[in-house]
Every structure is written in C-alpha cells, then in structure tokens.
Amino acid sequence: MQKITREQLIDKAVSLLENGTVEAVLGWGKGEFDYDVTPAVFKTADELKAGFVWNDFCGANFSKYLVAKTGKIEGKILVFLKPCDTYSFNQLLTEHRFDREKVYAVGIPCEGMADIAKVKAVCGEGISAINCDGEKIAVTTLYDDEPVMVDAKDVLAERCVNCKSKKHVAYDELLGEEGEVVDSARFDEVAKIEAMTPDERFAFWQNELSRCIRCNACRDACPACTCEKCVFDNPNSGVENKAPANSFEEKMFHIIRAFHVAGRCTDCGECSRVCPQNIPLHLLNRKFIKDINEFYGEYQAGAEVGSRAPLVDYTTGDIEPGEVFDRRDKNA
Amino acid sequence: MRKCSLDSMNSVFAEIAKAATLYIPADRTDGAAVYTKWEEGVVWSNALNTVRSPKDFFFPQMENLMEFKTQGKNIEIIDTRSETEDFVVFGVRACDVKSFEILDRVFLSEPVDSYYAARRAHGVIISLACTRPSETCFCGTFGINPAEPAGDISVWKTETEVFFRSNTEKGAALMQKLEALTEECTEEAVDAQKEKISAVMKKLPLADLTTEGFGGGKTKELFDNPAWDELSQTCLGCGTCTFVCPTCQCYDIKDFNTGKGVIRYRCWDSCMYSEFTRMAHGNNRNSQKERFRQRFMHKLVYYPENNDGLFSCVGCGRCLAKCPISMNIVKVMKKIGGNNK
Ligand code: SF4
Ligand code: SF4
Ligand code: SF4
Ligand code: SF4
C-alpha cells in the first residue's frame, strides 16, 4: 500500500551512486520471508537490484546507523527517511552525533507500516508469501489454499496507528508528495494510565515490566540512546546490565532509560517495535512528552535542528517544581 | 499409548498438579504464550511455541548461588539453594526438548553443575508434537522430527483428543497417576498426524537448509570468511537472540554487595555484549563483528567440535522472529555454508 515503489527508490539510489553523489546506500535488505527485512549497506546497482526491498514491513528507522556508518566512509552515504525517521535524524544532528556533510537524505512518503505480529494474529503461523496490494495485504500460508486477505489498516504497527506526522522535517531531496503534521490520538493511552489509582498504575507497570528480559534491544535500537558506553554497561556501576536482578532493578532500568531520553525522544517507536516481550515502552516516553507539553508548551523533539529542549532550557515562565505537588490529586 | 478427550485436559492438569508444580504454555496479557504455573483457570495456549524457551526451568536467567554474611571478623556462608522441588513442564516442543540434550552436555560434564543437575533430576518433561510449524521453523535441519518429540512423556493433540506415550521411568510413574483419566488406545490417529506433518515439513520455506560446510574442524576455513563483515554490519549487539535461544548457555557469576554481606549470583551472559569474557587485560573481542561471529561459530563449529558433531542450534526459529534487525543463524548458514542458496 506504499505509494512510492521499490523501483523508484532503486532508480534514485542507482543514479546517485552513478553520478558520484554518494558512495553507499543504507537501505532495507531482502530476507528469507516477504516480511523479513534487514538494514543493509548497498554499494552497487547490482546489489540494489538483487537485495533492496521497500514494502509494508520497512519499519526500521535508519537514523541511528548514521552515527556508525558516516564514521566509516570518505564520501556520502544515501539514507531513505520516512517522515518519522526525519525527526530522529534532526535530533541526532542537534546532539552533534553525525556529520551532516556525509549524508544525502532522501525523504520518502509512508502510508504506515505493518506489524507482522498483528498479521499472524489473523492468519496464523506458516506464512509462505505476502503481497502488498492497495489497501489489502494478501497472505499465503502453508495451511490455506487461498491467500488470506488482510486489511492493511487493521495490521498497522502501533506507532503508525498513532502516526504524529506525515511531514518530513529534514531531507536533501523529497520523493513523492509531502504530507502534514497529523493530529494523533497518541496520548489517549497515557491519559488512561494517569486516570488510574496509584495502586492500579503500579500493578499495570509491574505486569508490563516484569516481563523484561534485559536484552537491551530497546536501548540499542533507540536513536536517542547513542552514548559510546551506556552507564548500564559499566561493570563498576553496581547494577546488572543483563538480567533483571530483582524487581527494583527491573524498574530502575526502565525509569533511567525513560528519564534519559526525556525531552529528546521523538516518539519514533523503535523501542516498542523491537521489544521481544511486547512491553509498551512508548507509553513511558509519551508520558514525558505529554508532561513537557503541558508544563512548558508544545514541544516536539527533532522538529528542528538546534532547538533548545524545555528540560535543558530555562525561561522565567517555567512552572514551579511545586506544581507536581499541586497535581497530585489529579493522579497525573 | 493412552488417550483422553481434549475437554478433559483440565482434570489431567489438576491431577498432575497434585503431585508436583506444573507449568503449561498459557497466553499472557500481551498475547504471547509463556510457561505459566498451572492453577484452576489457567488455559492451555494454542500458540506454536513460547517466546521464552523452557531452558529457564533448568538454567534460569538469574539465580542466587549462595550468600555471605559478615559480622565482625566472621563470615557466615548461607546455602540459598532452592532447586529441590519436583516440577513438571508440559507442552515442550521437539526442538526445545532437544535443547536440553545440548545444555546437558555442558552442565552435566565434569565438573557437574550441581544446580543444573538438581533441577534436571527434579523435572519431568512432557513434550508436545507440532501440528502447525511456522515458516521460521527449521528443526529438520538438525534431524529433529516435530511429530515425534522426545521427553519423559510425548503428547499428541488432535481436534478432539490428546494422546500420551511415556518414554522413561519418570514418565511411566507420572502416567500411572493419570490411569483413571486416560484409556488405552491404538496409534492410528497419531500415525495419521505424523504423516501429515512430514508432508508439511517438506513444504516449509527452510526445508532445504543443511548444515553442510559447518561442524568440527572448520574453524580455520570459516573464521576469516570476509562475509562476517556484511552479516554483522547492522547488528545492534542487543543480545535478544542469545536470551530467547534455548541453547545459548553462557553465564556470568557476580557478587552483589548488600551492605551487610554479599549475594553471589549467576545470570545469563551474552557474547553479543561488550564486556563478555572481559579479562584483566581488557576484552578479546572488541568489535561487534567479532562478537557476532562468536555466537555463530560457537553454535556451528566450536560446540560440534567438542560434542561429537552435535550442533548447538535446534532450529526453533526464535532468533528469526525476535531479532530487531532480522539477522540470524539461517542467514549466516546460507551466506557462508556449503551449498545453501
Ligand atoms: S527490549 Fe524489552 S525485554 Fe529487552 S530490555 Fe527493553 S524492555 Fe526489556
Ligand atoms: S543478531 Fe539481532 S538479536 Fe542478536 S545482537 Fe544482533 S541485532 Fe540483537
Ligand atoms: S540459534 Fe536461533 S533457531 Fe537456533 S536454537 Fe537458538 S534461537 Fe533457536
Ligand atoms: S522448530 Fe520444529 S519442533 Fe520446534 S516448534 Fe517448529 S516445528 Fe515444532
């Protein structure tokens, strides 16, 4: 259901490689199954034609890879950015995490990405082929004679259901049509949690976080987590980085992760996408974003390069810390 | 062989739970299946397999080994062992049953890991034949038959009935307790199911994957293969693959300072992590490429070299489903292995 085609993206990449603008292309690489996509670096037209994919399963956000990949090349690397990816791109630039000169960014429109878990919830295991066609996704399984037709909008990834923007905030060149910032319902779920009693809220997070296996995928996929050495990977820190040692440490990791990205998290949704235990990390992030919006006025991390985030800026209009106390009865 | 109706499985679970703690796959609030302690109301999941592997039962992610308490100049050593109760794990798939053999060879070789050994001795495995393998399944590559799972008792499930066959003394003892709830039967229905599954196995997308090109003695040939660069180029080093894997067996032992003493604990480690096997001189695998290579060389070369050719992967497909970048052992095998294309 993507409006831009794989062929258009390959043509663009090949022409930029051939005219010498870029020396490598960061793109989605073909896997074993039709929904299986691995971020890959392509260097030639042949590689692109054989292995580049663009379909409803290209959710992976490449911005963070630019930190490592731009360090390794002489010339420029081409990166395709969906609207939400451009916010991460800007945020990384704001934090001086990669060299803008080494990147050629092509903005591409996105109609929303599918979540394979949601697809499997409809058609079961044993997928042998997937064809994205218009509003429908045709899923062929080993167990059904006819393909199962799934409505693309019914299997959208959470972050795409609550898409915040179809507009690109960074690019050198744009393919296809530009979109608008979207009025999303992304804070509704947070509001529901805020409305819980403290005990209910504790039970909610206890249930979610107790599933954590501390694989650290949420941190490692996060474009806001780019410290050279994470504090949790310091063996002298006294906390375990690879096991939820007890229920205190289990929560501590999450609280620190969420606090560390507060004000910098663009709500790209990578953390929740990669979590093997389906923990809704985006809800923690969105709580911070919602609070920042309410306390300091609307702020979207990554909307522009170099913006002063409210948490690292002081204005005389800032709310007093006591506000937290005043809000206690609202459970917020 | 004995059988009971699918509807009466709750009574079977109840009967087993009378004698020992019983764990069965049940759906969690997020929809994924996990081994859950059975009690009235816990419903047997229809999922093909659990997100976390059953290795947790014998080799938990985290366990306290012992405690030290200091008082003045005295150190008291406290035995905190708890792995001494009988338990039953129901619904283990053929791939995961095989993973126990792989872990056994590590933990039960001299010097025997007594924590692991105690759990193995106290656990009864009831396996479950697969009826709907996933596209990510490739147990067949490692000679595992999903329709013929091992374990103390093997179970087959049809639309309406459940069939049991005990394979060991432990299994027979447990089956005896189920005598009143089950009846003697022929193997017809089970044989029909086996045939159906063997046809499905041939159609699986990974049916042709072979271990050719891997195994003991291949270190020199594979270690410096240039393809490791490309394979590992976008690996996040997150360790998800190692934590969901039923055969990953590395661990770390650490001391936790409680202020009044020390808790010595063991937890899973991951070769994908930067401080894995860090030594006084620093680390011997400094790049993600080296760490990534370690995982696959261990499973496909080093382990078989030390274990009579047995590979340390059972083709469960968990790493295929869970890696954030969808890089996995199948892609490695296809890229650098013999004739896999
Ligand atoms: S990705 Fe999920 S399971 Fe892994 S550390 Fe993060 S929250 Fe925990
Ligand atoms: S292979 Fe995948 S799951 Fe394993 S460490 Fe790399 S990114 Fe994480
Ligand atoms: S390497 Fe992957 S497929 Fe093999 S046993 Fe481990 S998780 Fe399963
Ligand atoms: S890998 Fe084989 S045994 Fe394991 S779940 Fe899949 S079909 Fe069953």
Side-chain angles (χ1 to χ4, degrees):
Chain A
M1 81 184 148
Q2 299 303 326
K3 287 197 177 136
I4 196 133
T5 65
R6 167 178 183 263
E7 287 64 38
Q8 278 172 288
L9 299 190
I10 292 180
D11 286 349
K12 175 51 63 189
V14 170
S15 75
L16 288 167
L17 274 175
E18 282 173 357
N19 71 20
T21 309
V22 300
E23 66 181 54
V25 180
L26 193 50
W28 299 271
K30 189 174 172 323
E32 292 301 314
F33 317 116
D34 290 343
Y35 61 82
D36 161 7
V37 175
T38 299
V41 177
F42 301 88
K43 295 233 161 97
T44 64
D46 286 345
E47 282 175 15
L48 283 161
K49 280 171 193 151
F52 182 95
V53 290
W54 170 247
N55 58 29
D56 284 351
F57 297 92
C58 293
N61 173 352
F62 291 151
S63 309
K64 185 178 186 174
Y65 281 120
L66 295 173
V67 177
K69 300 296 171 207
T70 53
K72 287 198 182 132
I73 55 167
E74 289 293 317
K76 284 188 194 246
I77 189 163
L78 165 63
V79 63
F80 289 111
L81 300 175
K82 305 185 291 293
C84 56
D85 302 341
T86 60
Y87 288 81
S88 313
F89 183 88
N90 271 355
Q91 185 61 31
L92 285 160
L93 281 175
T94 300
E95 296 169 11
H96 309 286
R97 297 299 290 122
F98 68 86
D99 183 355
R100 180 68 179 88
E101 293 303 307
K102 285 194 170 174
V103 179
Y104 191 85
V106 173
I108 52 175
C110 170
E111 304 307 311
M113 290 294 156
D115 177 347
I116 187 64
K118 288 190 182 172
V119 173
K120 286 193 170 186
V122 179
C123 65
E125 296 285 352
I127 295 177
S128 51
I130 296 188
N131 286 297
C132 308
D133 184 16
E135 304 299 304
K136 298 276 184 194
I137 299 180
V139 189
T140 312
T141 76
L142 299 167
Y143 305 98
D144 302 286
D145 297 330
E146 291 292 316
V148 182
M149 300 305 284
V150 183
D151 264 330
K153 64 175 187 331
D154 291 344
V155 292
L156 276 182
E158 189 285 334
R159 58 186 173 166
C160 303
V161 172
N162 288 313
C163 178
K164 62 184 182 294
S165 175
K166 298 273 185 218
K167 181 182 162 188
H168 299 78
V169 291
Y171 53 80
D172 291 303
E173 185 179 341
L174 196 63
L175 289 182
E177 263 173 57
E178 180 62 309
E180 292 297 326
V181 172
V182 185
D183 236 352
S184 81
R186 63 185 171 133
F187 297 120
D188 289 5
E189 202 62 33
V190 179
K192 271 190 214 151
I193 298 171
E194 285 174 347
M196 292 177 181
T197 66
D199 283 346
E200 285 167 351
R201 198 155 53 229
F202 187 81
F204 173 84
W205 284 112
Q206 178 94 331
N207 175 43
E208 298 294 341
L209 300 182
S210 63
R211 298 202 298 267
C212 178
I213 55 172
R214 283 309 303 279
C215 64
N216 295 302
C218 50
R219 172 196 72 183
D220 293 327
C222 172
C225 279
T226 60
C227 295
E228 296 275 315
K229 184 102 185 157
C230 175
V231 60
F232 284 101
D233 285 349
N234 174 2
N236 299 326
S237 65
V239 291
E240 190 44 75
N241 69 335
K242 53 200 171 202
N246 52 33
S247 85
F248 170 74
E249 280 199 3
E250 193 173 277
K251 295 177 193 70
M252 184 178 70
F253 166 72
H254 289 283
I255 291 169
I256 293 186
R257 190 205 62 80
F259 265 92
H260 192 204
V261 301
R264 307 190 300 118
C265 165
T266 64
D267 198 9
C268 76
E270 282 289 89
C271 48
S272 294
R273 175 181 74 87
V274 301
C275 177
Q277 292 284 61
N278 306 325
I279 298 172
L281 296 148
H282 60 277
L283 294 178
L284 279 178
N285 304 333
R286 285 183 192 159
K287 166 65 177 160
F288 281 92
I289 298 171
K290 183 169 180 284
D291 277 356
I292 289 171
N293 286 348
E294 287 168 11
F295 291 161
Y296 304 101
E298 295 275 318
Y299 177 78
Q300 171 60 52
E304 51 194 81
V305 180
S307 64
R308 300 268 312 167
L311 295 183
V312 291
D313 201 16
Y314 171 74
T315 72
T316 49
D318 283 357
I319 61 154
E320 295 300 326
E323 172 73 8
V324 177
F325 186 72
D326 295 340
R327 282 161 53 105
R328 72 196 184 284
D329 293 332
K330 290 192 277 171
N331 283 322
Chain B
M1 182 157 291
R2 299 185 71 83
K3 70 171 186 181
C4 71
S5 74
L6 186 53
D7 295 334
S8 64
M9 274 310 278
N10 202 53
S11 326
V12 170
F13 292 145
E15 191 59 36
I16 300 174
K18 271 190 204 161
T21 312
L22 167 67
Y23 298 90
I24 69 166
D27 292 335
R28 214 166 46 183
T29 48
D30 65 327
V34 276
Y35 287 101
T36 310
K37 186 172 164 185
W38 185 86
E39 49 196 23
E40 209 46 72
V42 173
V43 182
W44 182 11
S45 168
N46 281 321
L48 174 64
N49 214 344
T50 53
V51 208
R52 287 182 74 148
S53 84
K55 86 174 168 192
D56 279 273
F57 289 110
F58 306 112
F59 173 41
Q61 179 163 21
M62 176 86 200
E63 70 180 318
N64 289 345
L65 301 178
M66 59 181 88
E67 236 176 276
F68 305 94
K69 273 216 170 92
T70 47
Q71 214 160 26
K73 285 197 171 157
N74 295 326
I75 299 182
E76 189 191 346
I77 300 176
I78 302 165
D79 187 357
T80 53
R81 302 183 70 153
S82 61
E83 69 291 355
T84 48
E85 272 171 29
D86 288 340
F87 64 95
V88 178
V89 189
F90 176 91
V92 184
R93 298 297 187 180
C95 51
D96 289 343
V97 177
K98 182 77 176 178
S99 77
F100 302 145
E101 182 186 333
I102 292 165
L103 298 176
D104 282 354
R105 282 178 175 251
V106 175
F107 292 104
L108 301 182
S109 304
E110 283 303 328
V112 171
D113 185 310
S114 61
Y115 294 83
Y116 179 89
R119 289 198 172 89
R120 279 295 265 149
H122 286 283
V124 178
I125 305 296
I126 306 182
S127 65
L128 175 64
C130 299
T131 45
R132 192 177 165 129
S134 168
E135 70 279 4
T136 52
C137 293
F138 58 109
C139 48
T141 301
F142 300 102
I144 300 163
N145 180 355
E148 193 54 80
D152 296 305
I153 298 174
S154 306
V155 166
W156 289 263
K157 177 186 172 192
T158 66
E159 302 276 307
T160 51
E161 289 173 313
V162 179
F163 297 82
F164 302 81
R165 188 193 66 207
S166 68
N167 307 320
T168 63
E169 260 172 50
K170 264 190 200 170
L174 184 56
M175 274 318 289
Q176 218 150 44
K177 298 202 174 92
L178 302 178
E179 206 118 285
L181 293 165
T182 56
E183 57 184 271
E184 198 59 41
C185 66
T186 64
E187 308 209 350
E188 234 166 282
V190 166
D191 287 341
Q193 191 184 76
K194 284 184 192 167
E195 235 165 82
K196 233 167 101 187
I197 295 308
S198 99
V200 171
M201 290 306 283
K202 294 194 188 93
K203 290 198 298 184
L204 287 180
L206 302 177
D208 297 333
L209 185 71
T210 75
T211 54
E212 205 185 307
F214 299 98
K218 295 279 182 187
T219 305
K220 271 213 169 81
E221 195 180 317
L222 297 176
F223 195 81
D224 288 321
N225 192 313
W228 290 115
D229 285 307
E230 186 189 323
L231 287 164
S232 65
Q233 67 182 345
T234 52
C235 170
L236 300 170
C238 65
T240 303
C241 50
T242 53
F243 284 4
V244 296
C245 179
T247 66
C248 272
Q249 59 219 214
C250 294
Y251 61 82
D252 199 357
I253 293 180
K254 290 190 173 182
D255 284 350
F256 177 71
N257 185 347
T258 62
K260 293 185 215 77
V262 164
I263 296 176
R264 178 156 299 169
Y265 66 96
R266 146 158 82 186
C267 63
W268 294 346
D269 207 340
S270 169
C271 50
M272 292 294 191
Y273 288 166
S274 59
E275 81 282 31
F276 180 71
T277 63
R278 198 175 73 123
M279 290 177 253
H281 80 284
N283 206 327
N284 46 4
R285 292 181 206 95
N286 283 312
S287 66
Q288 194 53 37
K289 169 185 147 184
E290 291 166 293
R291 300 194 274 263
F292 180 94
R293 177 173 59 196
Q294 166 64 23
R295 176 161 197 269
F296 301 103
M297 288 294 282
H298 185 199
K299 294 201 177 302
L300 299 168
V301 180
Y302 310 148
Y303 187 97
E305 179 145 340
N306 296 327
N307 293 282
D308 314 311
L310 182 68
F311 288 94
S312 175
C313 169
V314 293
C316 73
R318 285 186 179 86
C319 59
L320 278 68
K322 291 299 180 185
C323 169
I325 64 152
S326 200
M327 177 45 69
N328 53 58
I329 194 160
V330 168
K331 287 177 180 171
V332 168
M333 288 168 79
K334 289 203 172 181
K335 187 85 192 172
I336 67 175
N339 62 355
N340 288 309
K341 273 293 155 278

